[in-house]
Structures are given as C-alpha cells and as structure tokens.
Amino acid sequence: MQPREPAAPAHLPSGLSAEFAAVLRSTIERNEATLPPAVLRGYVDGAHRLRAEGVGWAPIVAYLEQTPAVLRALGAGVLDALLSSASILHARAGDRSVDQFFSLTPLVAGRYAEARMFTAYLALLQELAALAPSVAPAFFDHLPQLLEHLT
C-alpha cells in the first residue's frame, strides 16, 4: 500500500487566518491516518461551513476535537445531520449550546451505537432548538445524567 500524500494543502483554501489554518492543519494531520480521504475532506469542509455561518472558535475547536470519534463510531453518513443540527442550534441558541453539543457528541455516539439512533437524537435537538432554544444549555448540562437512565 502506498503512503498517502499529506492532506493539508489540498484541504486548506486560501484566505484563512493563520490561526484557523494552523488548527485545521493540526487536525488533518491527527486524523488522516484513521479517516478515509473523502470523509476527512467532508469533516474539514464542515469546519469551514461552521466558520462561514459565524460559529465561534470554541465550538469549532470542539467540533474538530470530538467529531472524528463520532465518524469512526457511526460512519460518515451522520456528518451532514450533525452539521445541520449545529447550524440550527447556533441560529437559535448560540455558541454556548453548539460548544456543549459538540463536546457531548462522542458520549451520545457511544450510547447510541447505531447511526439511525444518533440521527434521531439530532432530530430531537433540532426540535428543541426550534421550540425552546433557551432550554438547550440546561438540556446539555443534564444530558450525561439523562443518558445514564436509558436502557
């Protein structure tokens, strides 16, 4: 098997701030051995999408740190739903909720070991953000305890 070429240059568009480019480069280097190239590209594009939507640095760093574990556990098929949920949370509830959301995704992915269950959780979050966005921070604060009670 031939070694992969470094992914960083292909995934870093021009015009990024030096700080954002450094974070992305580091993330790519950490994950290129465990994520297929197309999945890695989608994951990095997700960070660009979040930044373009005005999501702050803390939630983006949480996304970059936590999402690879979710993708390895559940597959790349959950990425679009994950990003859509983050976009809705950001629009309705703000950066704090998005940061909490991404920080807890590996826990939820571990609890819901099937992609369909995880996407059902994401649909619940989207509904929560649409109907009661002010409740989102408290929901995330208590989510680990709630997950403990599921059978």
Side-chain angles (χ1 to χ4, degrees):
M1 187 168 148
Q2 293 181 339
R4 275 191 213 169
E5 291 181 18
H11 293 295
L12 294 178
S14 60
L16 296 178
S17 71
E19 182 180 66
F20 191 45
V23 168
L24 284 176
R25 192 173 295 108
S26 170
T27 298
I28 291 166
E29 290 169 0
R30 275 195 319 269
N31 292 293
E32 67 185 341
T34 59
L35 294 176
V39 175
L40 183 64
R41 191 170 303 108
Y43 159 70
V44 172
D45 289 347
H48 295 294
R49 172 181 163 182
L50 294 170
R51 190 70 188 135
E53 291 174 0
V55 174
W57 283 112
I60 291 174
V61 169
Y63 165 81
L64 291 169
E65 290 176 349
Q66 305 303 329
T67 301
V70 175
L71 297 176
R72 284 189 288 274
L74 299 175
V78 300
L79 186 58
D80 285 337
L82 184 76
L83 290 166
S84 293
S85 296
S87 296
I88 291 168
L89 271 171
H90 180 256
R92 301 287 188 148
D95 276 351
R96 176 178 177 220
S97 291
V98 179
D99 189 31
Q100 290 175 298
F101 166 67
F102 283 128
S103 295
L104 291 167
T105 54
L107 175 68
V108 176
R111 185 69 174 132
Y112 298 132
E114 297 176 20
R116 116 185 127 73
M117 293 295 294
F118 186 76
T119 55
Y121 159 76
L122 296 176
L124 170 69
L125 287 183
Q126 291 178 14
E127 193 74 17
L128 176 71
L131 297 175
S134 63
V135 174
F139 173 80
F140 290 121
D141 286 343
H142 296 286
L143 185 59
Q145 294 86 3
L146 293 171
L147 289 173
E148 285 178 14
H149 295 288
L150 291 176
T151 58

